[in-house]
Amino acid sequence: MFRSIVPDRAMFPTAYTYDRVFGPNCSTRQVYEEGAKEVALSVVSGINSSIFAYGQTSSGKTYTMTGITEYSVMDIYGYIEKHPEREFMLKFSAIEIYNEAVRDLLSHDTTPLRLLDDPEKGTTVEKLTEETLRDKDHLRDLLGMCEAQREIGETALNEASSRSHQILRLTIKSSVKQYLGRGKSSTLVSCVNFVDLAGSERASQTASAGMRLKEGSHINRSLLTLGKVVRQLSKGRNGHIPYRDSKLTRILQSSLGGNARTAIVCTMSPAHTHIEQSRNTLLFATCAKEVVTNAQVNVVMSDKALLKHLQRELARLENELKLPESASCTSHAEALREKDAQIKKLEKQLRELIEEKDTVQSQLNCLLKSDADDHANDRAAKRWDVHSRSSESLARNASEEALSVSDTYGGSYQDQGHAVFGESYVFSADHDDLSIPNQTMDLPQQTKVRKSISPWHPPSNYSSDGTESYNMKEVAFRSASEVSEENCREVQCIEIHEHRRSTSKEFNVLLHEVTKLHIPEAEDISRDAVPQPDEVPEAVSITEKMEDHIKIYPSKEERQAEIIANAVEGPIEVHQCESDDFADNFVKLYPCDSNISLDVGKPYPHECLTVKRCITSSKDSALARSQSCRASFMIIPNSWFDDSENTGQTPPGEIFRYPPRRPDKVRRSLYQGNDDCQNNNNSVDLSDMSTSDEVVKDMSTGGEVAKEWSANEAEQEVCVGDISCVTDLEQKAAKHHEDQPEEHQAEQQIVRDECAAVKTVKDVGIDAVPSSAESPSRWPIDFANRQREIIELWHDCNVSLVHRTYFFLLFKGDAADSVYMEVEHRRLSFILSSFSTSSAGGELNSATASSLKNMKRERDMLYKQMLKKLTNGDKEGIYARWGIDLGSKQRRLQLSRLVWARADMEHVRESASLVARLIDLVEPGQALKEMFGLNFTLAPRTQRRSFSLLGA
Ligand SMILES: Nc1ncnc2c1ncn2[C@@H]1O[C@H](COP(=O)(O)OP(=O)(O)OP(=O)(O)O)[C@@H](O)[C@H]1O
């Protein structure tokens, strides 16, 4: 009796139920008779059986199993003796599982045996000795041998403790002697296992160590698996049964849950100290009692018996198949009928849905059509909104991003121009709010007030004149069309600007015409509204400054007087009515379009010109990629207006009065006083003269300025000086870009201003007079030198071969080409110096690599074109002239690699001629010199590598 005083022990059951319970005084005979005999003797009936002894160490398992085995053998042999009609054959085998190794107890070889999985027999032991028993004495001898072979060790609890699991197997085959040899006999084959398990033990109780401790570990592990298998089997066979977790359970698999009857004798110690082990034994026994096996009589039939048996079995199965088959046919037919009905129903629903969908689709189309009509009506207004926003953005930033917005709408500029012009510039009653958004943004208050009486805003009788408005629209349309055509004229990132198409001479002619026709109208304007030049003190001061320069260069007086008289005679009258600071903004508009003459004769031609200029400049923004080009129209006027607020009557020409290499913060000083002018080099001073209409006027009227300078030389010098300033400022801007982004932007703005100034110079037309006018005899020599230098720079900068060809064929020594030659030279020099000196070596190296790669592509292209464009005769001639052996391989490839590879003029001429032929170059006369003009692309720092020349 044991009464637990520990509360948690209440979780265990307090009562257990078994088939039999044997007390300490019960003999083994009684245990066998009541608990194991029936199971053991099942083997003689052809049924597998097993008898286990399970319990803690030293609880009497071996003692009990030894007795049960002996009693069973005696009874088996007694059964055999009682059944002489049957012939029995007994075989005996014995193994032990010691430390998870299987050993044959009937052999002296202790080599572990392998376990094999047989699909029919289950797990078998390879090479296991199986003795055929002669009689019971033979069996006794073998049992004695097994006992001697088994691993036994002394522990604190048992001086002869079994350290292994022992399995004795007796296999019995029996047949009726009467049918033996006739082919009709059946043989019963079964086996009985006598299993003496090693005892579960606690190391602390057995005081085991070393080998004993290891043995105990294996014993407990295998017993734990046995417990799991039995517990799982007791729950049913649904889950996984871990037979293979131990060799013990693998070997006993059929005995535990298969074809066998099994009796388990659980032994316990009555000692109080073993209560835990006794409880575990009881729990194991409880689970084991729940396990249900499926024991069957194992019959081995003869061939004839097997044949008859199989024939009967076949007939039975055929009958079973026939009955269900007829039933299933009926059910299948019904199912098919149901499915057919379902399909018809679904088809009907589908038709209805399709009809519904068509109805909805037609309604949707109607809605879309009506919506599209509404949308078309609103499109012009929306475009204007977009245009207004982009124009405002342009006015504020003059940035690439803002300009690109206009690019997006470039395709519809005609409509835009029409809408903008008609709705906002002309017909609006509120001119102050809507006139030229990109310029009024920065207008100082004073300017805006005066603007109401400026030529921008005609008298009321004109603003409401429908005829006048129509003419203006026509101008806008024409201008937009021309701009659209320019979209196709960009070559290798060197853009073509429409306004550059006007040559200086043409422009001067136009300017003359405009001036003539414009003067009377301008004179009609109130002098209060448009102050005369002589009322502007700055004009005088500028003239004085120019006179200072004249003093510096007195030797050029006479020649310059003639040139200036030719070049700037026209604009004189214009500036008489536009010398005002805000009116100057409009003066810059004139060169924007060569169609100015279209406006001539209109009641208010001045207004026509100014309005058209604004529209054109917006469209130019959409077309041109170069910021410098945009700047020429967008930035300069703003600067003037901005400056007018700070410097009062500072004339617009002052914008060019800063030193070309002035660093950042230069913008603030652009319009300060005139002191800077005196420190400037000639080119800067001349820029004033050539770009400021006021100055031009002063020069022409004063006559003295003309004695000193050639306008053309001034223009050229301005270009050179400004480009230098561009490169310097760009480098500075790039250097400080990361640390001082705002300053960088300011610098870029200045750079744009400078380029704009240069362009304005060009637009005025002064560049038409070549520098050679000063010394015509020197120009051919200078040209040749410049050309040679440029050719070398092309080579150093890996410039596109196509670009070289264009340039070379286009500029052949005309005096008017000097500016382009200078620009090209400056541009290439800048690129080359950037390569060699810039700190951003990695980026430039990348640019160099990129340019080389592009040039290689060009050469590959030429290589391919040679096949199409050159005859064999052509090629052979070139091979001969260029020193390519006619017998060598890949002559065409060699030729492509030699193109533009040398600097001697003969080679250059031939290269240019060859490339022009291969790429179907347009006639040089049709190419535009403006392609190589002053359009510097002031790319952001991050895009520095994309030099138009390098990337071409
Ligand atoms: N019913 C019994 N009557 C008399 N002596 C017994 C009885 N059962 C066991 N003994 C004695 O108890 C001792 C231990 O018995 P046994 O070796 O059979 O235990 P065990 O459970 O096999 O131990 P182990 O698991 O360590 O092998 C032996 O000396 C044995 O003679």
Side-chain angles (χ1 to χ4, degrees):
M1 299 292 295
F2 174 78
R3 296 185 184 278
S4 174
I5 57 174
V6 182
D8 63 344
R9 302 299 183 191
M11 64 181 290
F12 294 107
T14 55
Y16 302 89
T17 301
Y18 306 105
D19 296 309
R20 293 283 187 276
V21 178
F22 305 97
N25 296 321
C26 289
S27 64
T28 304
R29 179 75 189 190
Q30 186 180 356
V31 173
Y32 165 74
E33 292 287 343
E34 296 181 9
K37 181 178 181 178
E38 182 182 354
V39 173
L41 292 183
S42 298
V43 70
V44 294
S45 306
I47 297 173
N48 298 327
S49 62
S50 296
I51 300 170
F52 285 82
Y54 180 95
Q56 73 172 99
T57 182
S58 187
S59 58
K61 298 184 291 297
T62 303
Y63 182 91
T64 303
M65 284 307 300
T66 301
I68 289 174
T69 303
E70 286 185 358
Y71 291 131
S72 297
V73 169
M74 287 174 64
D75 287 344
I76 289 171
Y77 274 98
Y79 179 83
I80 292 173
E81 291 174 355
K82 290 180 183 176
H83 295 85
E85 76 283 3
R86 297 184 67 89
E87 183 175 289
F88 291 90
M89 183 175 67
L90 282 71
K91 292 185 177 179
F92 180 76
S93 62
I95 59 171
E96 72 169 351
I97 304 170
Y98 174 69
N99 290 346
E100 280 299 290
V102 179
R103 292 174 57 190
D104 189 350
L105 291 177
L106 298 181
S107 170
H108 296 287
D109 186 3
T110 58
T111 303
L113 304 178
R114 292 200 311 160
L115 298 183
L116 301 177
D117 290 321
D118 189 292
E120 294 182 0
K121 300 177 182 176
T123 302
T124 59
V125 179
E126 187 183 35
K127 299 179 181 177
L128 178 64
T129 304
E130 192 171 36
E131 291 284 345
T132 302
L133 298 178
R134 296 184 296 272
D135 50 33
K136 59 176 144 182
D137 294 334
H138 186 199
L139 180 57
R140 284 196 185 97
D141 293 340
L142 293 175
L143 290 173
M145 181 181 177
C146 292
E147 187 177 355
Q149 293 273 26
R150 191 179 181 189
E151 287 287 343
I152 294 175
E154 183 178 356
T155 66
L157 295 178
N158 189 352
E159 62 180 2
S161 177
S162 304
R163 311 310 295 168
S164 66
H165 308 297
Q166 175 184 266
I167 301 173
L168 306 177
R169 174 170 293 179
L170 181 63
T171 304
I172 300 175
K173 291 184 179 178
S174 66
S175 300
V176 179
K177 293 180 179 175
Q178 181 181 357
Y179 301 114
L180 281 175
R182 297 183 182 178
K184 296 180 181 179
S185 63
S186 296
T187 304
L188 301 178
V189 181
S190 57
C191 64
V192 57
N193 295 316
F194 301 97
V195 182
D196 179 18
L197 298 174
S200 59
E201 60 187 36
R202 282 194 167 186
S204 58
Q205 292 179 333
T206 55
S208 57
M211 182 62 71
R212 295 289 171 266
L213 187 63
K214 180 182 176 184
E215 294 168 353
S217 174
H218 284 289
I219 292 167
N220 287 337
R221 191 177 304 151
S222 59
L223 289 176
L224 181 65
T225 303
L226 177 64
K228 288 181 183 176
V229 169
V230 171
R231 193 159 52 248
Q232 193 68 30
L233 287 171
S234 68
K235 297 176 184 175
R237 300 174 186 276
N238 298 325
H240 169 68
I241 311 297
Y243 290 115
R244 301 183 69 83
D245 285 2
S246 73
K247 290 180 176 174
L248 174 67
T249 50
R250 280 186 70 186
I251 293 170
L252 296 179
Q253 180 172 346
S254 61
S255 301
L256 293 170
N259 177 21
R261 297 185 63 184
T262 301
I264 298 178
V265 179
C266 294
T267 58
M268 297 191 300
S269 166
H272 191 271
T273 54
H274 298 157
I275 184 64
E276 291 300 325
Q277 293 287 350
S278 297
R279 191 192 306 277
N280 290 338
T281 301
L282 291 172
L283 289 172
F284 175 83
T286 302
C287 290
K289 183 168 171 44
E290 301 300 320
V291 175
V292 178
T293 60
N294 183 23
Q296 297 176 346
V297 176
N298 302 303
V299 180
V300 177
M301 289 182 285
S302 64
D303 293 343
K304 288 185 179 178
L306 181 62
L307 182 59
K308 282 190 175 180
H309 172 78
L310 291 174
Q311 287 174 340
R312 283 196 298 270
E313 187 68 14
L314 181 60
R316 185 184 64 81
L317 292 173
E318 285 176 350
N319 289 333
E320 287 182 1
L321 286 173
K322 287 178 183 176
L323 292 175
E325 193 173 286
S326 59
S328 66
C329 285
T330 307
S331 62
H332 287 167
E334 292 176 356
L336 283 173
R337 280 193 292 273
E338 290 178 1
K339 293 293 180 187
D340 286 340
Q342 197 172 0
I343 288 170
K344 288 179 181 176
K345 185 178 177 183
L346 289 172
E347 285 177 346
K348 184 181 178 184
Q349 291 178 354
L350 181 61
R351 282 193 297 272
E352 292 173 355
L353 286 172
I354 289 173
E355 291 174 1
E356 191 175 352
K357 175 223 167 198
D358 291 339
T359 306
V360 172
Q361 183 67 46
S362 61
Q363 292 173 351
L364 180 62
N365 291 337
C366 292
L367 287 172
L368 287 174
K369 188 177 179 183
S370 61
D371 185 57
D373 294 337
D374 295 338
H375 184 68
N377 294 332
D378 296 333
R379 192 173 304 157
K382 289 182 179 178
R383 282 178 181 164
W384 162 236
D385 290 341
V386 174
H387 178 77
S388 299
R389 286 197 294 274
S390 70
S391 297
E392 290 173 6
S393 178
L394 288 170
R396 291 191 186 98
N397 306 319
S399 64
E400 182 73 26
E401 291 75 10
L403 291 167
S404 67
V405 174
S406 297
D407 288 343
T408 307
Y409 293 85
S412 58
Y413 256 115
Q414 289 190 0
D415 292 338
Q416 285 188 35
H418 191 281
V420 170
F421 192 86
E423 294 176 12
S424 301
Y425 287 166
V426 177
F427 295 115
S428 171
D430 187 357
H431 296 286
D432 283 334
D433 291 336
L434 297 174
S435 58
I436 310 181
N438 60 343
Q439 295 188 1
T440 53
M441 292 294 296
D442 296 325
L443 279 175
Q445 188 61 34
Q446 181 185 1
T447 306
K448 289 182 179 177
V449 171
R450 298 180 65 183
K451 190 175 177 59
S452 62
I453 54 174
S454 74
W456 270 101
H457 300 277
S460 57
N461 59 326
Y462 283 112
S463 63
S464 59
D465 187 347
T467 305
E468 171 67 13
S469 302
Y470 172 78
N471 290 332
M472 290 180 175
K473 283 194 233 177
E474 203 173 62
V475 171
F477 251 119
R478 217 173 283 122
S479 178
S481 301
E482 292 166 3
V483 170
S484 299
E485 293 172 4
E486 297 299 320
N487 274 325
C488 304
R489 299 189 181 174
E490 291 185 332
V491 177
Q492 296 181 1
C493 301
I494 301 174
E495 56 213 291
I496 304 168
H497 201 287
E498 178 185 25
H499 311 293
R500 294 291 177 273
R501 292 169 56 192
S502 301
T503 65
S504 303
K505 292 179 181 177
E506 290 170 345
F507 175 70
N508 283 338
V509 170
L510 289 169
L511 204 54
H512 277 292
E513 293 177 4
V514 171
T515 304
K516 287 178 192 172
L517 296 169
H518 184 69
I519 291 169
E521 300 298 330
E523 287 175 352
D524 292 340
I525 302 170
S526 169
R527 294 178 67 84
D528 293 333
V530 184
Q532 297 302 304
D534 55 0
E535 297 176 8
V536 182
E538 276 67 15
V540 178
S541 65
I542 293 172
T543 306
E544 292 172 352
K545 284 178 238 169
M546 298 312 300
E547 289 173 355
D548 293 338
H549 296 300
I550 292 169
K551 292 171 185 174
I552 300 173
Y553 304 98
S555 61
K556 302 178 181 176
E557 283 181 2
E558 296 179 0
R559 189 167 57 249
Q560 296 298 336
E562 180 183 355
I563 295 169
I564 291 295
N566 292 333
V568 299
E569 185 180 6
I572 293 173
E573 301 299 333
V574 175
H575 291 288
Q576 286 178 348
C577 64
E578 295 175 343
S579 59
D580 186 81
D581 54 355
F582 64 88
D584 259 321
N585 185 35
F586 311 140
V587 173
K588 298 299 174 187
L589 312 179
Y590 285 28
C592 292
D593 197 316
S594 60
N595 292 326
I596 283 175
S597 58
L598 292 170
D599 301 321
V600 172
K602 293 295 181 290
Y604 214 91
H606 192 142
E607 178 177 345
C608 294
L609 293 174
T610 54
V611 171
K612 186 169 74 172
R613 179 264 174 193
C614 295
I615 295 170
T616 305
S617 65
S618 298
K619 291 158 189 166
D620 291 338
S621 302
L623 291 172
R625 276 195 255 164
S626 167
Q627 291 180 348
S628 62
C629 290
R630 297 169 191 127
S632 68
F633 301 101
M634 307 301 292
I635 305 304
I636 295 296
N638 275 343
S639 302
W640 297 349
F641 283 121
D642 291 341
D643 189 58
S644 65
E645 187 175 26
N646 299 327
T647 61
Q649 298 300 317
T650 303
E654 290 291 307
I655 194 172
F656 300 107
R657 201 171 289 282
Y658 60 88
R661 293 180 184 277
R662 187 184 296 275
D664 52 357
K665 305 294 184 186
V666 76
R667 188 179 183 185
R668 180 178 298 173
S669 62
L670 290 182
Y671 317 111
Q672 293 173 353
N674 301 324
D675 295 339
D676 291 342
C677 175
Q678 298 175 1
N679 298 325
N680 291 345
N681 58 28
N682 298 336
S683 65
V684 173
D685 294 331
L686 285 168
S687 75
D688 295 340
M689 181 176 68
S690 61
T691 57
S692 167
D693 297 314
E694 288 183 338
V695 173
V696 171
K697 175 191 71 68
D698 293 337
M699 291 167 65
S700 62
T701 53
E704 294 180 2
V705 177
K707 299 175 184 176
E708 178 64 25
W709 291 101
S710 159
N712 175 68
E713 183 181 55
E715 190 273 343
Q716 182 179 351
E717 290 294 323
V718 166
C719 292
V720 173
D722 283 333
I723 293 165
S724 300
C725 185
V726 168
T727 57
D728 286 354
L729 289 174
E730 187 174 353
Q731 287 175 341
K732 289 176 184 295
K735 188 180 295 180
H736 299 290
H737 175 234
E738 294 181 358
D739 297 332
Q740 297 170 314
E742 293 181 359
E743 292 186 9
H744 173 72
Q745 291 178 2
E747 290 172 4
Q748 282 200 337
Q749 180 75 12
I750 293 167
V751 169
R752 293 188 198 105
D753 292 350
E754 293 176 50
C755 290
V758 175
K759 283 177 170 297
T760 308
V761 170
K762 189 171 170 54
D763 291 337
V764 171
I766 301 175
D767 64 343
V769 183
S771 60
S772 60
E774 181 181 0
S775 54
S777 60
R778 278 190 54 201
W779 169 242
I781 301 172
D782 293 341
F783 172 79
N785 292 335
R786 236 359 170 208
Q787 189 182 48
R788 192 184 71 262
E789 292 170 2
I790 287 172
I791 290 170
E792 291 173 354
L793 285 168
W794 282 340
H795 181 73
D796 295 338
C797 296
N798 306 319
V799 171
S800 157
L801 306 182
V802 175
H803 173 90
R804 300 184 202 188
T805 302
Y806 260 107
F807 194 97
F808 181 80
L809 296 177
L810 192 57
F811 301 105
K812 294 184 173 178
D814 188 82
D817 297 342
S818 60
V819 173
Y820 300 100
M821 300 291 288
E822 188 63 32
V823 169
E824 183 74 355
H825 189 274
R826 292 265 174 173
R827 184 186 346 236
L828 294 167
S829 300
F830 167 71
I831 294 170
L832 188 62
S833 64
S834 299
F835 276 151
S836 57
T837 60
S838 174
S839 58
E843 186 179 352
L844 288 168
N845 288 337
S846 172
T848 307
S850 175
S851 62
L852 284 169
K853 192 174 177 183
N854 288 330
M855 198 159 69
K856 183 178 179 303
R857 284 201 194 117
E858 272 194 309
R859 293 190 184 282
D860 292 342
M861 179 271 293
L862 296 175
Y863 168 75
K864 293 175 182 172
Q865 290 296 104
M866 286 177 196
L867 264 184
K868 304 176 185 173
K869 302 291 172 64
L870 297 183
T871 64
N872 289 334
D874 294 337
K875 281 186 282 192
E876 289 174 0
I878 299 174
Y879 293 154
R881 288 197 300 276
W882 288 26
I884 299 174
D885 185 5
L886 293 176
S888 62
K889 294 181 178 178
Q890 294 189 318
R891 296 182 297 279
R892 194 158 45 94
L893 189 62
Q894 293 180 45
L895 179 59
S896 70
R897 296 298 181 258
L898 283 176
V899 173
W900 280 103
R902 300 204 312 266
D904 61 276
M905 289 308 297
E906 184 60 27
H907 177 83
V908 167
R909 281 192 203 92
E910 287 207 23
S911 295
S913 174
L914 177 61
V915 172
R917 182 173 177 185
L918 293 177
I919 65 172
D920 289 332
L921 191 68
V922 298
E923 290 298 319
Q926 296 176 11
L928 299 171
K929 291 183 178 180
E930 287 77 4
M931 289 161 47
F932 307 96
L934 300 169
N935 299 327
F936 268 84
T937 299
L938 299 180
R941 175 70 177 167
T942 53
Q943 298 173 1
R944 180 67 61 86
R945 68 178 63 185
S946 60
F947 290 122
S948 60
L949 293 180
L950 294 175

